[in-house]
Every structure is written in C-alpha cells, then in structure tokens.
Amino acid sequence: MSNNAFSPLTGPTGFYPVVPTAEWVARLLDWGVRTIQLRIKAADHTPEQIAREVDTAIEAGRKVEGAQVFINDHWQLALAGAAYGVHLGQEDLGVADIGALRKAGIRLGLSTHTPAELARAHAVRPSYLAIGPVYPTTLKVMPYEHVGLERLKLWVPTAAPYPVVAIGGISLDLIPGVMACGVDGVAVVSAVTLAADPRRAALEGLRLAA
C-alpha cells in the first residue's frame, strides 16, 4: 500500500446492509453477514447515544472474524474507537481529517453519484467506492437522478482498481441484475430491516450477492 492510499478491504463486500443501530449490526453478524454499515441519523439522537452506538458496533465487529463494520459520517468517533472503516459522502471530504483516518489504517468507503465524483474520488484512493442511487429511493432525499443499470455498467470500470458497491432502492429481487453489472457488492437499506423475516432476508441477500 502506498503512503497516500487507504488500507484495502480484508474481504469481499458482497451483501452489505446499512442499518440504524448497533443491535442490528450484532444481529447481522450472528446471521453470517460480514460487511455492514452503521448509519445513525444525528437529529434523532443525543451525542452520547451516538457515541454509545458507534462504540458498540465497533466492538461487535471486532469480536467476529472477517467482519467489516463501517461507520457512516461519524468519523471522529470511528477514529477514537479504532473502527474497521468509515463511509463518507464527498461533501465530508473537506471536513474529515482524511490524513488521520488513513494513518490509523481505517478503511474508507466513499459515495459517488456522477462520473465527475468518481474522478474526484480517485484522488483520495479509498478502500471502496459506492455508486448510487441505482434505483429511485424514498428513504432519503437525493439531489441526483437514479443511475440505472445501463449507466452503472458503464461507470463500474471507471472506478477501477477500487471495489464498487451499488446502493439505492435495491430490493432482494433486484440484486441479481445489479450484480450482473460487475459490482463487487450491493448495499441495501430496507431489504432486511423492514422485512417480515429479517434473518431469512439476510441469508437470501448473502446468497444473491455472493
């Protein structure tokens, strides 16, 4: 690894749930999921609650061999807790201490929505790149139109050599088509947490994104 590149992932991304609590992180790890992102909405929690959730999620991942637990946005807490990884949006690059995260060996996932953002992301040399939203999503207001499968397939090679995670509006039924675009992993936000049988959904997701 060169001095200005982030540490590479230690395993495949594959099926990659994005969840709101450390309890979900621990539950998914028990079910065999190994790449998970904790994404907490700061507006709904006190700083103390957020710190507790982040620390608990980091510790849960530390106890499981092969776990890749990423903390969304809260990079200071992730740095203090020696997290496996952090996931940031490009707007965070001007705020986060990228050098400190890199020096600490913390992996970085970086969101991209356009070819221009993919090009900018190369300068950071992250551990993986996320492309989205692949499909329209109602869970988060996005200032970008959805990418769609045709553009996803075209954009994936431009992300090389970094692994690509597709995200945005992806249900279990849509995973095979997304994986066929050449991505390394598929992030899901509601496919597990809002499923009638979350464990079954997680196991099916692992199978589809393998």
Side-chain angles (χ1 to χ4, degrees), residues 3-33:
N3 290 335
N4 63 342
F6 274 84
S7 296
L9 301 178
T10 48
T13 47
F15 185 61
Y16 184 179
V18 178
V19 298
T21 66
E23 183 181 0
W24 269 113
V25 172
R27 193 178 301 162
L28 285 160
L29 289 169
D30 284 344
W31 295 340
V33 179

Side-chain angles (χ1 to χ4, degrees), residues 17-18 39 137-139 169-172 187-196 201:
V18 178
R39 184 163 76 188
T137 174
T138 57
L139 291 176
I170 303 172
S171 64
L172 294 182
V188 299
V189 179
S190 60
V192 172
T193 57
L194 298 183

Side-chain angles (χ1 to χ4, degrees), residues 63-195:
K63 293 177 180 176
V64 177
E65 185 176 356
Q68 301 183 126
V69 175
F70 286 84
I71 306 302
N72 182 281
D73 284 352
H74 300 289
W75 63 270
Q76 299 101 323
L77 295 172
L79 186 60
Y84 176 88
V86 172
H87 185 93
L88 299 176
Q90 296 216 353
E91 67 279 5
D92 301 312
L93 291 177
V95 179
D97 191 338
I98 297 300
L101 291 169
R102 187 188 290 120
K103 186 177 180 181
I106 294 174
R107 282 85 181 167
L108 175 68
L110 194 56
S111 291
T112 64
H113 310 88
T114 65
E117 289 192 351
L118 277 165
R120 283 199 298 271
H122 276 268
V124 185
R125 306 190 70 179
S127 306
Y128 75 84
L129 289 170
I131 297 177
V134 177
Y135 294 99
T137 174
T138 57
L139 291 176
K140 185 178 181 183
V141 177
M142 298 293 290
Y144 308 92
E145 65 173 335
H146 69 279
V147 174
L149 296 185
E150 287 188 17
R151 279 188 289 187
L152 180 62
K153 193 178 296 184
L154 290 173
W155 293 0
V156 165
T158 70
Y162 309 107
V164 172
V165 173
I167 188 169
I170 303 172
S171 64
L172 294 182
D173 291 343
L174 295 172
I175 288 178
V178 175
M179 290 296 293
C181 293
V183 301
D184 302 276
V186 175
V188 299
V189 179
S190 60
V192 172
T193 57
L194 298 183

Side-chain angles (χ1 to χ4, degrees), residues 49-61:
Q49 289 172 328
I50 293 172
R52 189 160 54 245
E53 287 287 307
V54 168
D55 286 344
T56 303
I58 292 171
E59 187 58 29

